[in-house]
Amino acid sequence: MAERQEQVALDDVLTRIGQVVMLHHGGDREEARSRLLDLWGEVGEAGDPLHRCTLAHYLADTQDDPSHELAWDLRALSAAEELADGPGGFLPSLHLNLAADYVKLGRVEAARSHLRSALRAAGSLADDGYGKGVRAAIRRLELQLGE
């Protein structure tokens, strides 16, 4: 019974994150950032790695300052690496996001390093819409960096 309650609580957090993401995609970036930060406060630095990864990933998307975006994307990668099942399909996207962050900050070598990591990890992606989208974004950034 306790395991079932824990699963419901986990699902509740992911549902709440999803609701805030819809708010962000609807154009209310400030409110989304505020609500995601509230959720981050509930989950905490020691919370479930999946929750921290997901929250940090979406918090990065709501940042105005590229250095803050980088900090949240680094938190997302760190949490993904803690996942018991392994980070799996998260890594290509997380490394791609970090590469894009470093490009914005003019740190080209760091961007290239994460782009190479994204490319290596992309082999684990399925040949579905998500996988194709991530691989296409990797190729676009490779072109931008002259790779």
Side-chain angles (χ1 to χ4, degrees), residues 52-74:
R52 288 185 291 116
C53 178
T54 306
L55 279 166
H57 169 71
Y58 288 116
L59 270 161
D61 291 344
T62 66
Q63 301 305 305
D64 298 322
D65 183 323
S67 64
H68 295 162
E69 184 176 2
L70 172 64
W72 284 110
D73 278 330
L74 287 168

Side-chain angles (χ1 to χ4, degrees), residues 115 138-147:
L115 188 58
I138 290 170
R139 283 191 296 278
R140 285 191 303 272
L141 194 53
E142 282 177 319
L143 290 172
Q144 183 180 343
L145 290 174
E147 297 283 303

Side-chain angles (χ1 to χ4, degrees), residues 88-111:
F90 293 137
L91 285 181
S93 177
L94 294 173
H95 281 292
L96 176 62
N97 289 345
L98 285 162
D101 295 342
Y102 283 119
V103 166
K104 291 176 193 173
L105 293 167
R107 297 175 59 188
V108 176
E109 288 310 311

Side-chain angles (χ1 to χ4, degrees), residues 22-36:
M22 287 190 298
L23 180 70
H24 179 232
H25 289 169
D28 198 341
R29 186 178 186 151
E30 293 294 323
E31 183 64 21
R33 179 173 39 227
S34 175
R35 289 186 190 189
L36 288 169

